[in-house]
C-alpha cells in the first residue's frame, strides 16, 4: 500500500477515526469543507473510499494493531478519536483501553499536536458508574497521559437520526404502546443534538493551545428518559403509556431491547446499564469557550424525526 501523502506546509493535516460511524460519518462531510487536508483511518479502505471525496486520503489502519498506525499518523496536526469498541467485543473495556493506549502512543511518536475525543458524561466519583461510562472516561485519561494535548468532550444522549441511543428510544416508542419501565428511567439526563456535537468537534480544531481540557456538553434541557419518550411520542402523534416497576434488571432490560429493537443484545444491555447514572452537565465552561448555543430537546427531536422520514 502506498504511504499516505503528507499535507502541504500551509494546510494542516487532520486524521479522523470512526469515519464509518454515525458521528464520524457526518464529521467527514464537514471536515471536507474545511481548509484542511483530511485523512481517514479505516480497517477496510475499500468500503470507505466510495463515500468520501476524491481529495480525502484513506489510510489502512486498526487501533488494535499498533504498527498499522505509524504511517497514518505521519504529518498529522490534529487527530479525532471517535472510536468505541462496545459493539465489536464483549470485553469492550479491555479493548477500548488497549485501543486508546495504541492510538495515544502512535500520536505521541508522530508528533501530533492535538487529539480531539468524544466521550460520555457521568460523575467520576460515582461508585456505581456503569462500565460503559467508566470506560469512556478511562479512554480520555489514557489519551491525556500521552502528553499530546487532548480536548475531550463529554456528552450524554446524542439526539439524531442514526444515533444508537436515539434509535433505541425511537424503536421502543414506535413499537410498544404500553411500556413496563424500570424506576431508573426517571434518572436525569441532558441530551444534545448531533448538529451541536459536530459544531463542538469542529470548533475544537481551532481552539488556541492551552493544554489538555475536558468539556461537558449538552442541550439546555435537563429531563428524564421517560420525558424524552413522551415528547417523541407527542411529536409523532402516538399515545403511549409508561408503567414503572421497582425492579427491571439491566440483564432483563437488554433481553427486552433485543426483542423489540434492531440493536444487538450486548450493546443494548450496556447502554441500558448507563441509564441508571445521571448524565447532566455540571461544568458549563464549554458555553464560554465555544461559539455553540445548543438547541433544546423539542427542536432536536423535531430535526431527528424529519431526518428519519426524508
Amino acid at each position: 500500500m502506498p504511504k499516505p501523502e503528507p499535507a502541504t506546509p500551509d494546510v494542516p493535516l487532520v486524521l479522523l477515526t470512526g469515519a464509518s460511524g454515525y458521528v464520524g460519518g457526518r464529521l467527514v462531510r464537514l471536515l471536507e469543507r474545511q481548509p484542511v487536508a483530511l485523512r481517514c483511518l479505516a480497517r477496510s479502505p475499500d468500503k470507505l473510499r466510495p463515500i468520501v471525496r476524491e481529495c480525502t486520503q484513506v489510510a489502512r489502519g486498526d487501533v488494535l494493531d499498533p504498527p498499522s498506525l505509524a504511517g497514518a499518523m505521519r504529518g498529522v496536526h490534529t487527530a479525532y478519536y471517535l472510536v468505541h469498541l462496545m459493539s465489536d467485543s464483549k470485553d469492550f473495556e479491555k479493548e477500548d483501553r488497549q485501543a486508546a493506549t495504541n492510538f495515544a502512543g502512535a500520536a505521541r511518536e508522530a508528533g501530533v499536536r492535538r487529539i480531539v475525543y468524544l466521550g460520555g458524561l457521568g460523575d467520576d466519583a460515582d461508585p456505581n458508574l456503569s462500565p460503559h461510562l467508566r470506560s469512556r472516561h478511562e479512554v480520555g485519561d489514557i489519551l491525556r497521559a500521552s502528553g499530546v494535548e487532548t480536548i475531550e468532550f463529554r456528552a450524554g444522549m446524542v439526539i439524531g437520526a442514526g444515533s444508537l441511543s436515539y434509535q433505541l428510544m425511537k424503536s421502543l416508542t414506535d413499537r410498544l404502546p404500553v411500556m413496563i419501565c424500570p424506576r431508573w428511567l426517571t434518572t436525569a439526563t441532558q441530551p444534545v443534538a448531533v448538529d451541536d456535537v459536530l459544531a463542538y468537534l469542529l470548533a475544537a480544531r481551532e481552539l488556541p493551545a492551552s493544554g489538555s481540557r475536558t468539556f461537558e456538553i449538552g442541550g439546555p434541557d435537563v429531563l428524564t428518559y421517560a420525558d424524552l419518550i413522551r415528547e417523541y411520542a407527542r411529536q409523532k402523534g402516538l399515545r403511549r403509556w409508561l408503567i414503572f416497576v421497582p425492579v427491571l434488571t439491566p440483564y432483563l432490560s437488554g433481553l427486552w431491547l433485543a426483542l423489540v429493537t434492531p440493536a444487538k443484545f450486548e450493546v443494548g444491555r450496556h447502554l441500558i446499564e448507563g441509564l441508571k447514572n445521571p448524565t447532566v452537565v455540571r461544568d458549563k465552561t464549554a458555553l464560554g469557550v465555544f461559539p455553540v448555543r445548543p438547541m433544546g430537546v423539542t427542536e432536536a427531536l423535531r430535526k431527528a424525526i424529519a431526518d428519519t422520514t426524508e
Side-chain angles (χ1 to χ4, degrees):
M1 183 187 72
K3 294 181 179 179
E5 292 295 326
T8 56
D10 57 336
V11 178
L13 177 59
V14 172
L15 176 69
L16 175 64
T17 64
S20 60
Y22 174 61
V23 174
R26 288 175 172 240
L27 189 58
V28 165
R29 296 193 289 273
L30 296 176
L31 286 170
E32 286 177 332
R33 302 173 193 163
Q34 298 285 309
V36 302
L38 179 61
R39 178 184 297 162
C40 296
L41 185 75
R43 286 181 294 182
S44 302
D46 292 343
K47 294 181 180 179
L48 186 61
R49 182 72 265 173
I51 61 177
V52 298
R53 290 185 179 179
E54 187 176 351
C55 60
T56 297
Q57 303 172 27
V58 179
R60 186 184 303 276
D62 186 340
V63 289
L64 291 175
D65 178 21
S68 73
L69 298 176
M73 288 284 190
R74 189 174 298 116
V76 169
H77 181 283
T78 300
Y80 283 90
Y81 192 74
L82 305 181
V83 174
H84 193 6
L85 301 175
M86 186 171 65
S87 61
D88 297 330
S89 170
K90 290 186 178 180
D91 194 1
F92 71 89
E93 289 180 272
K94 178 181 177 181
E95 293 202 349
D96 264 339
R97 184 180 305 120
Q98 187 60 58
T101 299
N102 295 343
F103 189 85
R108 181 182 61 247
E109 292 299 316
V112 172
R113 303 285 187 85
R114 174 174 294 170
I115 296 172
V116 180
Y117 165 59
L118 179 61
L121 284 171
D123 186 356
D124 288 309
D126 184 351
N128 296 314
L129 195 65
S130 74
H132 163 57
L133 294 175
R134 187 171 60 239
S135 178
R136 296 286 75 205
H137 294 184
E138 183 184 17
V139 166
D141 292 338
I142 291 170
L143 297 176
R144 281 186 291 276
S146 69
V148 178
E149 182 187 63
T150 299
I151 305 301
E152 175 183 359
F153 291 107
R154 292 186 174 183
M157 177 180 178
V158 176
I159 298 179
S163 162
L164 181 56
S165 52
Y166 168 78
Q167 288 298 122
L168 289 174
M169 182 201 70
K170 174 185 182 301
S171 295
L172 287 170
T173 311
D174 286 344
R175 300 182 189 192
L176 298 179
V178 179
M179 282 179 259
I180 307 300
C181 304
R183 288 290 180 189
W184 36 260
L185 211 62
T186 59
T187 301
T189 187
Q190 194 166 351
V192 60
V194 66
D195 288 348
D196 294 322
V197 172
L198 294 168
Y200 277 118
L201 290 171
L202 282 179
R205 187 181 65 79
E206 298 182 303
L207 189 69
S210 60
S212 295
R213 302 181 69 178
T214 298
F215 297 99
E216 297 183 344
I217 59 174
D221 302 315
V222 177
L223 64 171
T224 69
Y225 290 97
D227 292 331
L228 278 171
I229 290 172
R230 294 187 183 102
E231 175 59 22
Y232 173 84
R234 186 191 68 79
Q235 292 197 26
K236 290 290 295 287
L238 302 172
R239 296 184 68 184
R240 292 296 181 260
W241 287 266
L242 277 61
I243 300 173
F244 292 90
V245 296
V247 178
L248 187 62
T249 67
Y251 178 78
L252 290 176
S253 297
L255 289 175
W256 174 51
L257 285 174
L259 290 172
V260 299
T261 74
K264 295 180 182 178
F265 164 69
E266 284 295 327
V267 177
R269 183 169 66 84
H270 291 311
L271 286 175
I272 283 292
E273 286 175 347
L275 298 187
K276 69 179 182 289
N277 301 125
T279 49
V280 297
V281 174
R282 295 171 299 152
D283 183 344
K284 299 181 180 180
T285 302
L287 292 174
V289 173
F290 298 98
V292 181
R293 292 298 172 264
M295 68 184 76
V297 162
T298 299
E299 183 181 357
L301 285 173
R302 185 182 302 119
K303 289 175 67 68
I305 291 169
D307 289 344
T308 302
T309 56
E310 283 181 356

